[in-house]
Amino acid sequence: MADDTLSWMNELTAEMEERRKKIELGGGEARLKKQHDAGKQSARERIVTLLDEDSFVELGVFTEHLGGDMMEGISAPGEGVVTGYGTLKGRTVFVFSQDFTVLGGSLGKMHGQKIAQVMDLAVKTGAPIIGLNDSAGARIQEGVDSLSGYGEVFYRNAIYSGVVPQISAILGPCAGGAVYSPAMTDFILMAKGTSYMFITGPEVIKSVTKEDVSFEELGGADVHNRKSGVAHLECEGDAGVLEKIRELLDFLPQSAKEKPPFRKTKDKDDRETPELLTIVHPDQRRPYPMHDVIKTVVDEGHFLEIQPDFAKNIIVGYAHLGGQAVGIVANNPRNMAGTLNIDASDKASRFIRTCDCFNIPIVTLVDVTGFMPGVAQEHAGIIRHGAKMLYAYAEASVPKITLIVRKSYGGAYLAMNSRDMGADVVLAWPTGAVAVMGAEGAANIIYRKEINGSKSPEATRKTKIDEYKKKFDNPYWAAGRGYIDDVIDPKDTRKHLIRHLRMLEHKHEERPYKKHGNIPL
Ligand code: HXC
């Protein structure tokens, strides 16, 4: 009897193993080879690359598709998506990885439900959710059921936004719903040359608008990282994307209820930064590398820039200061003289809100003449877009420190987190200057009559510009009125920033009751 039981059990176990193996093969050897030949990893290989060794635990392993007329006779192992959880640098994360070898990774009702399940668990347990997207969008054969599957995912993308970090890797041709779900997440990382995002592909575009466009030109990593601003990072292949996600998580907490992890550093809190005295030129018009300013100040010079190739006139990214994760927003005098335009406003506002969601203090480095003038910008709605920055900074209740590196003029002074917009601490270097506008423009307006009426207008103009500069082109006028807390020696920048961050560690700021604010979109 005991032998019978054992052999029966063995049979059942063998059947289970066989079923599992079939599922693990996905769309089969031939399609897997195609995937590898295209330079892409399989859905399961990607999970192994992303997570700590042997840490992945799969869920929904034997899930099957919903059926229906058009799905009859079609097999979809694992429903075309591998879902579960594991650890990343020892921290729990939830993952879904779409399998392009199974019906092009298309999303059917049960595929959507598998993703929704891990999203729910991520929120219930307070852990990030990472989506590895490689999908042709809604599964055509399932009709409205596949749209419903997407609805389940979209709904959660929205209501879980700001609850736990949501990160999207784009690792293949992603179409339709496969791009709208990532678009609602906090970060999108794309693999160079093998990933695409579009709502309709080149064929549909050709039939509708007669435009001839390649996959790459339509929605490659280059397009979305440089032109559209849809993506946040462009990486070398699958491995590059997955490695970057591991790095990104160093700056993010498990959920909105926690703080980002503290990172031990050998870099001393009071390390002097005399290099800064030679990087920044006191002449307000001379460009300099703001990236070098950031790298000089932060722990071990490590700065993870977000959207480095989009709206280069503003720099945003993550670093650590004395072990504490911070988000940095800085004008870039090397690009469009650091002025704020529509794209820069969108980029910075989104970044500020991401920091605020996840308890990441914001350090703002200011060197800005103003918002970008021009008919094109006005007609494209710079008022609406620029307002996002004002809104985002004011709304953010995380610790906010502003350092006025050089000029800070007009509306952009306010939009770069001035005292009145809620900065907790405002510092300036002796090169800092706060005014309504630059000296030339100001003198031309307020002394126009005197300049035009004088015997030598050019000499008078120069005198008036110098007078204005003397008065406003320094940090002391603003400091005298309490808009700047201290003017500091650039070589002590790191020390000051870390001290203020420590002071602000337990900052708590309540806002008046509301359902939610209404940011201009
Ligand atoms: C079901 C699909 C599919 C789909 C592709 N396949 N798209 N199956 N539903 N949407 C299948 C193919 O039949 C093929 O099966 C396999 O996946 C691989 O597809 P290929 O075309 O051979 O691959 P490739 O040449 O690499 O082209 C990939 C692609 C292309 C660019 C993604 O397949 C494509 O354009 N698909 C349609 C994209 C699309 O329009 N999706 C619907 C979007 S609407 P075999 O058996 O041969 O391996 C949508 C609405 C959501 O998503 C709501 C939005 C708000």
Side-chain angles (χ1 to χ4, degrees):
M1 188 68 179
D3 280 355
D4 282 359
T5 310
L6 185 62
S7 89
W8 192 6
M9 276 307 282
N10 282 340
E11 247 175 66
L12 290 174
T13 313
E15 187 205 336
M16 175 194 77
E17 280 308 327
E18 203 174 308
R19 282 173 179 262
R20 185 185 298 274
K21 261 191 202 142
K22 243 189 190 163
I23 288 164
E24 286 178 358
L25 255 180
E29 299 284 359
R31 291 192 185 89
L32 186 61
K33 183 176 178 309
K34 209 172 154 195
Q35 178 92 349
H36 285 155
D37 289 348
K40 293 161 45 175
Q41 296 180 11
S42 72
R44 287 173 190 277
E45 286 162 351
R46 286 168 176 161
I47 292 176
V48 171
T49 311
L50 175 72
L51 299 182
D52 298 341
E53 208 175 333
D54 278 336
S55 74
F56 181 60
V57 182
E58 192 171 345
L59 298 169
V61 182
F62 298 101
T63 308
E64 290 187 6
H65 64 68
L66 207 57
D69 288 357
M70 288 185 73
M71 286 300 284
E72 221 153 89
I74 296 178
S75 104
E79 242 308 72
V81 64
V82 185
T83 57
Y85 63 94
T87 61
L88 196 158
K89 297 186 187 173
R91 298 160 66 191
T92 299
V93 294
F94 287 81
V95 188
F96 67 87
S97 181
Q98 294 177 311
D99 187 346
F100 193 79
T101 69
V102 177
L103 300 171
S106 59
L107 187 142
K109 175 72 178 172
M110 299 307 289
H111 179 133
Q113 269 187 14
K114 278 182 81 171
I115 296 175
Q117 186 205 2
V118 280
M119 292 177 82
D120 289 342
L121 283 169
V123 166
K124 284 184 205 168
T125 59
I129 173 90
I130 302 169
L132 310 181
N133 298 271
D134 193 352
S135 166
R139 185 177 296 155
I140 296 162
Q141 297 90 328
E142 285 197 30
V144 68
D145 287 330
S146 71
L147 297 179
S148 160
Y150 262 127
E152 291 200 40
V153 178
F154 292 169
Y155 180 75
R156 284 167 176 78
N157 284 137
I159 62 167
Y160 296 161
S161 176
V163 180
V164 294
Q166 299 185 46
I167 299 173
S168 300
I170 308 294
L171 302 170
C174 291
V179 296
Y180 275 128
S181 167
M184 278 193 275
T185 64
D186 301 302
F187 298 97
I188 295 179
L189 297 88
M190 291 184 77
K192 236 186 250 182
T194 49
S195 74
Y196 314 98
M197 296 177 79
F198 38 74
I199 54 165
T200 51
E203 273 181 45
V204 176
I205 288 186
K206 189 156 189 190
S207 68
V208 177
T209 68
K210 314 282 178 252
E211 288 164 299
D212 230 329
V213 66
S214 70
F215 277 65
E216 193 63 47
E217 289 163 345
L218 179 63
D222 190 67
V223 166
H224 289 308
N225 281 276
R226 284 170 184 77
K227 272 193 194 159
S228 71
V230 165
H232 297 87
L233 287 162
E234 179 185 27
C235 310
E236 291 296 334
D238 290 7
V241 169
L242 301 169
E243 188 50 45
K244 217 29 136 191
I245 292 176
R246 290 177 67 85
E247 185 186 340
L248 182 58
L249 273 174
D250 285 347
F251 303 95
L252 301 172
Q254 291 295 91
S255 75
K257 288 188 181 149
E258 296 181 26
K259 289 188 174 183
F262 184 87
R263 192 167 77 170
K264 275 191 192 152
T265 176
K266 289 197 176 110
D267 206 344
K268 290 208 169 71
D269 288 359
D270 58 358
R271 171 172 58 82
E272 290 196 345
T273 52
E275 311 91 302
L276 295 174
L277 293 159
T278 56
I279 295 174
V280 181
H281 203 282
D283 179 347
Q284 299 287 5
R285 286 162 306 182
R286 289 275 283 270
Y288 58 89
M290 184 62 99
H291 289 93
D292 290 359
V293 175
I294 297 168
K295 286 178 187 164
T296 304
V297 172
V298 301
D299 289 1
E300 287 141 39
H302 185 69
F303 178 54
L304 174 58
E305 188 171 356
I306 303 296
Q307 295 194 304
D309 297 310
F310 176 70
K312 288 171 148 197
N313 40 332
I314 199 145
I315 301 165
V316 301
Y318 299 107
H320 287 91
L321 270 169
Q324 158 81 66
V326 290
I328 294 179
V329 180
N331 305 113
N332 182 6
R334 276 193 166 171
N335 194 286
M336 295 166 57
T339 49
L340 297 175
N341 62 355
I342 287 170
D343 285 348
S345 303
D346 283 358
K347 173 176 161 180
S349 308
R350 176 85 174 147
F351 180 78
I352 292 160
R353 298 192 99 211
T354 306
C355 289
D356 193 44
C357 283
F358 297 119
N359 308 314
I360 306 169
I362 302 166
V363 175
T364 305
L365 307 180
V366 188
D367 190 346
V368 66
T369 49
F371 280 97
M372 175 90 168
V375 177
Q377 287 284 304
E378 295 286 352
H379 286 189
I382 191 157
I383 298 170
R384 176 163 53 89
H385 294 275
K388 291 178 197 175
M389 269 189 87
L390 296 166
Y391 191 107
Y393 263 127
E395 176 193 50
S397 60
V398 288
K400 293 180 287 189
I401 301 176
T402 297
L403 171 65
I404 301 174
V405 173
R406 247 180 15 181
K407 57 201 174 300
S408 185
Y409 297 156
Y413 157 73
L414 294 165
M416 290 299 289
N417 199 35
S418 63
R419 153 92 348 115
D420 307 291
M421 296 304 293
D424 298 298
V425 176
V426 181
L427 303 171
W429 285 356
T431 43
V434 182
V436 175
M437 62 175 74
E440 279 86 355
N444 281 334
I445 294 169
I446 58 179
Y447 301 117
R448 185 183 299 146
K449 279 190 193 141
E450 274 176 85
I451 292 170
N452 291 341
S454 87
K455 280 184 190 154
S456 49
E458 277 322 304
T460 312
R461 190 190 319 275
K462 192 177 172 314
T463 311
K464 291 297 175 193
I465 288 172
D466 287 348
E467 265 175 29
Y468 185 92
K469 271 190 184 163
K470 221 175 203 170
K471 195 153 204 169
F472 291 112
D473 254 8
N474 63 67
Y476 304 107
W477 176 272
R481 278 154 178 74
Y483 302 122
I484 293 171
D485 291 298
D486 198 4
V487 182
I488 61 166
D489 188 327
K491 77 170 166 42
D492 297 325
T493 303
R494 176 177 164 82
K495 181 174 80 183
H496 281 286
L497 291 178
I498 291 174
R499 279 185 183 171
H500 291 304
L501 275 171
R502 293 259 154 78
M503 175 273 287
L504 290 165
E505 199 178 330
H506 303 293
K507 177 190 171 187
H508 180 73
E509 203 172 286
E510 291 286 340
R511 293 285 192 262
Y513 169 80
K514 61 174 102 171
K515 190 170 174 201
H516 62 72
N518 196 6
I519 188 165
L521 295 173

